[in-house]
Amino acid sequence: MMLSHCFAVFWEALSLKVLLLFLATFILVADYMRQRRPKDFPPGPVPLPFLGNLLHFDIRKPHLSVQKLTEKYGNVVGLQFGNIRGVFVNGLQLVKEALIHQGENFLDRPKIPIIYDHFQTFGLVNSNGMSWKQQRRFALSTLRNFGLGKKSLEERIQEEIKFLTDAIEEEKGQPFDPHYLINNAVSNVICSITFGDRFDYHDSQFQNLLRLLNEAGRMQASIWSQVYNIFPALMKRLPGPYQTSFKNWEHLKSFVRKIIEKHQEDQNPQEARDFIDAYLNEMAKEDASSSFHKENLLQSTLDLFFAGTETTSTTLRWALLYMAIYPEIQGRVQAEIDSVIGQSRQPGIADRDSMPYTNAVIHEVQRISTVLPLNVPRLTTVDTRLAGFHVPKGTILIANLTSVLFDKDEWETPNVFNPDHFLENGQFKKKEAFIPFSAGKRACLGEQMARMELFLFFTALIQKFTFQAPKDVKLSLDSQMSHLLNPKPYHICAFSR
Ligand code: HEM
Ligand SMILES: *[C@@H]1O[C@H](CO)[C@@H](O)[C@H](O)[C@H]1NC(C)=O
């Protein structure tokens, strides 16, 4: 009796152990199969069980972290995160091959859990296929037309610049952090086009929204998102910072939703005042294609807001920093402004062609600050070959823009801030390797608008002010990664000229 009882207990314990062992083996093997490299997949480090290559990736400096891997494996590196498969591509030739020559094969956005769970596939940035095509075509033509005869984009920007220069004037040469003013000003240009209105720099509700936007960006680049991407089903249910992120986006969405409702009440179908009006008109058309609906209106509007604010404003913050650190370059820009525009009128976009030096400085700021170092991820739409490797359908493509913007074969002094990169005999010189907006069919939708904003804002600021480090402060060019490569927060002095 005793014996048989012992035996039973022993047997139970053993079978439990065997069962656990069997389970563990099964999970490991299943995980191995899941993470197995396809034949001819680009080379890369062996993925660890469950974590894949997560530990080969430093979230805080993702643009630098794969450096060792690139040195070891070459210009195309294959990586695996859980069941997500990715390929990193470096250098002008290969990036062009993927984004332009084979652009059609790399056209989609991946379904990344942390992004999908926030936005699904609505809007401009995260949509694919027919819906993306229609949303993008509509947004491009609407932005081009704005403001629909009445007020041009250039005028809207110039109007905002008056507010911005006045606000900076109020600082009276004392050190200030330009972040929120510039962010608000740049955001107002998008707001003017999409909502038909700007927001006052003292509007606390709008300030709060900009803060949420900034926080959302930082969250997207945090370790939490990476963990979320690997265990989405689990993480969705746990309390954690991404719950805040969901709440923040809900807040942003309800803000835009209210503005849309207001438009529905008081719009005049004969005259579209802004992007939302134009979109509502499109929705009302008899033969409106299926992708013009409320969800896409909301998300496309938010996408313009999100994609168009921090990118441009971060670039401008880098520009001021470079001017303060390179006073002789700032002096040459001012000399050009004085001779072409003078002090009595605002810069206009027509001035750009007569201002090669200023134009070169802006390009060089964009090159060296590389605000989106790893582009926005793409996904292969079909099985593809790249540089002789097999890249299966459904693989994420990360085009390393830094590797192009710092390509030793393309730039004389890639690591030095040098406007001469864009000058030849005193004339502005275009460079093929200048691709901060990416390239091909899915390149930045706001490039024209961003280039106009950068020129008008930058030129107007340097026309009115001289930017300098506060007394006894050494400004730093160190960067800090959120979803964008930002300058570290800094204070600066703006002296009226
Ligand atoms: C200096 C400023 C800017 C930079 C450096 C920049 C850069 C980029 C890059 C690298 C992409 C990814 C393209 C790709 O996947 O190949 C992108 C996409 C996008 N950008 Fe910009 N951008 C800037 C300003 C703007 C502005 C002002 C707007 C708003 C009008 C905007 C709207 C968008 C949109 C909607 C997309 C998604 C396009 C798509 O998926 O089809 N961007 N941008
Ligand atoms: C991107 O390119 C830069 C410059 O060549 C390099 O240092 C970095 O390691 C690359 N990053 C990735 C993720 O491939």
Side-chain angles (χ1 to χ4, degrees), residues 57 61-71 74-75 77 79 88-91 373-374 398-408:
F57 207 72
K61 291 210 188 295
H63 60 300
L64 297 178
S65 68
V66 197
Q67 186 146 13
K68 288 206 194 84
L69 301 177
T70 305
E71 277 161 17
N75 272 341
V77 182
L79 289 174
F88 286 78
V89 176
N90 287 287
L374 296 178
I398 308 278
N400 184 351
L401 299 185
T402 310
S403 72
V404 182
L405 294 168
F406 286 74
D407 193 326
K408 281 193 279 309

Side-chain angles (χ1 to χ4, degrees), residues 99 107 109 124-127 132 136 139 143 186 190 300 303-313 315-316 366 370-372 374-378 399 401 435-447 449-451 453-454:
L99 296 182
L107 205 55
R109 295 278 182 226
L124 292 159
V125 181
N126 297 305
S127 55
W132 167 72
R136 182 167 168 118
L143 290 188
V186 168
I190 296 275
S300 288
D303 281 352
L304 291 175
F305 192 59
F306 184 62
T309 297
E310 296 259 340
T311 41
T312 313
S313 115
T315 308
L316 281 169
Q366 279 205 275
T370 318
V371 298
L372 270 167
L374 296 178
N375 202 9
V376 177
R378 301 283 196 86
L401 299 185
I435 55 165
F437 297 103
S438 183
K441 284 210 169 92
R442 197 150 196 176
C444 176
L445 180 149
E447 173 169 354
M449 178 172 169
R451 284 170 27 85
E453 288 184 277
L454 289 176

Side-chain angles (χ1 to χ4, degrees), residues 348-412:
I349 203 63
D351 295 319
R352 188 163 56 187
D353 285 344
S354 356
M355 301 178 72
Y357 191 75
T358 305
N359 201 10
V361 166
I362 295 169
H363 279 71
E364 181 65 354
V365 167
Q366 279 205 275
R367 181 192 73 82
I368 205 162
S369 60
T370 318
V371 298
L372 270 167
L374 296 178
N375 202 9
V376 177
R378 301 283 196 86
L379 190 80
T380 46
T381 52
V382 289
D383 284 356
T384 306
R385 286 201 86 76
L386 187 67
F389 296 110
H390 172 59
V391 183
K393 175 178 176 182
T395 304
I396 297 179
L397 172 89
I398 308 278
N400 184 351
L401 299 185
T402 310
S403 72
V404 182
L405 294 168
F406 286 74
D407 193 326
K408 281 193 279 309
D409 300 331
E410 304 293 328
W411 310 96
E412 251 164 60

Side-chain angles (χ1 to χ4, degrees), residues 81-154:
F81 303 92
N83 54 1
I84 303 174
R85 198 173 283 137
V87 169
F88 286 78
V89 176
N90 287 287
L92 177 63
Q93 289 320 316
L94 275 178
V95 167
K96 255 177 44 185
E97 174 67 22
L99 296 182
I100 300 175
H101 306 315
Q102 295 201 49
E104 210 63 61
N105 298 352
F106 291 93
L107 205 55
D108 277 3
R109 295 278 182 226
K111 193 168 156 182
I112 297 177
I114 188 81
I115 293 180
Y116 181 81
D117 289 351
H118 280 85
F119 313 116
Q120 288 77 51
T121 50
F122 296 125
L124 292 159
V125 181
N126 297 305
S127 55
N128 288 325
M130 205 51 196
S131 175
W132 167 72
K133 262 201 190 108
Q134 291 172 346
Q135 297 304 307
R136 182 167 168 118
R137 193 183 308 131
F138 176 78
L140 268 174
S141 77
T142 311
L143 290 188
R144 204 173 297 128
N145 291 344
F146 263 105
L148 288 175
K150 259 200 160 170
K151 214 191 279 169
S152 68
L153 177 59
E154 180 183 18

